[in-house]
Amino acid sequence: MAAAILAAAPGAACAGAFTLRNGETKLFATAYVTSGDHYFDARGRLRARDRLKKQELQLYVEHGVTDGLTVFGAGALQQITVSGEERAQRSGLGRTELGARIRLAEPGAWIVSAQGGVVIAGAKRSDGLAAIGETDDQVDVRLLVARSFDAFARPAFLDVQAGYRTRSGDPANEIRVDATLGVRPAPRWLLLAQSFNVFGQGRWDGPYALKQRTHKVQAAALLDLTSTMTIYAAVFATPAARDALDERGAQLGIGYRF
């Protein structure tokens, strides 16, 4: 069933609990690709299915309004191709996200923040099979907790987020739990190990009765070229899921701050 593949297309990961300084701005441009020709069925078993390939160019910006309040926005252009017994292609505007993150407390090495955002779909139902799972608008609220520490005499941090996302239309609402471990092995390098987890809160309405659960892992490396410019690369996979694509892919990007 092609819908089980398409429904698992990932969203952009949210930023961590840290807020920007007053007046600071960060821009990130990312090229992203994911593909898969298997999916996890309702019992978590891998099944062969039509191949899905998704490519996106994403732009993300965040700005520190005050030392404890950061606003952010994101947009994307995407192309989704389904090939196999069923064929479809969709090109155009991806999701657009707008939101804000506010620091609630900063006791010692800890930071506690709250974040809310809206996600507006670029795809329409009329775009056909390749747009399944891409046409719903969303509202995301979450609590974020981060702690800085030293790991083997190197600066490190752990960021954990728990949120709830409502989805319009057929897809069910979701609980989201994300975690990021970051370590600086050298002053210009930052290494990340990340986990992104989605727990569907019911079955989808409409023709596809999916009850999704996905667990993705990602490894990333960031290199500061200058005091204002960073390049980064990441690879990700889906070790376990239900009613979702066995998704694998990579990202390449560049960041600029001023």
Side-chain angles (χ1 to χ4, degrees):
M1 183 171 63
I5 296 177
L6 294 169
C14 294
F18 303 95
T19 55
L20 300 184
R21 296 187 300 272
N22 181 19
E24 184 180 7
T25 300
K26 289 186 177 182
L27 294 169
F28 296 91
T30 304
Y32 164 95
V33 61
T34 180
S35 65
D37 57 5
H38 287 72
Y39 86 106
F40 295 91
D41 66 14
R43 295 186 179 182
R45 299 171 299 189
L46 277 175
R47 305 290 189 184
R49 281 297 184 263
D50 297 337
R51 172 173 290 277
L52 177 139
K53 184 177 182 180
K54 179 177 178 180
Q55 299 167 289
E56 282 197 352
L57 293 176
Q58 303 173 340
L59 180 65
Y60 175 86
V61 57
E62 58 181 17
H63 175 74
V65 178
T66 68
D67 286 340
L69 174 63
T70 295
V71 295
F72 59 87
L77 295 174
Q78 67 176 204
Q79 179 173 289
I80 302 173
T81 303
V82 179
S83 57
E85 293 183 5
E86 299 183 80
R87 295 179 178 272
Q89 184 169 331
R90 191 263 166 185
S91 298
L93 187 66
R95 297 188 183 276
T96 300
E97 183 172 6
L98 298 170
R101 182 167 62 255
I102 184 170
R103 187 172 66 236
L104 302 177
E106 193 173 6
W110 294 85
I111 293 179
V112 181
S113 300
Q115 179 174 292
V118 295
V119 184
I120 303 167
K124 307 298 181 185
R125 286 179 179 268
S126 59
D127 289 339
L129 180 66
I132 295 174
E134 294 283 337
T135 63
D136 59 297
D137 298 326
Q138 305 173 1
V139 176
D140 184 281
V141 293
R142 58 182 63 202
L143 181 69
L144 311 89
V145 179
R147 188 181 189 279
S148 300
F149 59 95
D150 288 336
F152 305 104
R154 301 296 184 185
F157 71 90
L158 177 65
D159 180 274
V160 178
Q161 308 178 23
Y164 190 82
R165 179 168 293 204
T166 62
R167 303 182 66 179
S168 66
D170 293 341
N173 296 344
E174 301 167 343
I175 290 175
R176 296 197 167 206
V177 180
D178 303 333
T180 297
L181 174 65
V183 179
R184 281 200 176 274
R188 295 172 57 196
W189 283 93
L190 175 62
L191 304 180
L192 302 177
Q194 299 175 284
S195 172
F196 305 108
N197 306 278
V198 177
F199 303 88
Q201 295 304 285
R203 295 194 179 277
W204 285 32
D205 294 328
Y208 306 111
L210 305 174
K211 188 175 182 181
Q212 290 190 305
R213 188 180 75 191
T214 63
H215 306 284
K216 296 184 176 69
V217 292
Q218 178 167 287
L222 295 84
L223 172 63
D224 293 331
L225 295 178
T226 69
S227 60
T228 59
M229 187 172 295
T230 300
I231 57 173
Y232 62 97
V235 293
F236 57 89
T238 309
R242 292 184 179 179
D243 281 339
L245 181 70
D246 179 21
E247 185 179 30
R248 303 170 188 274
Q251 301 180 55
L252 291 173
I254 187 168
Y256 184 74
R257 55 185 177 270
F258 54 91

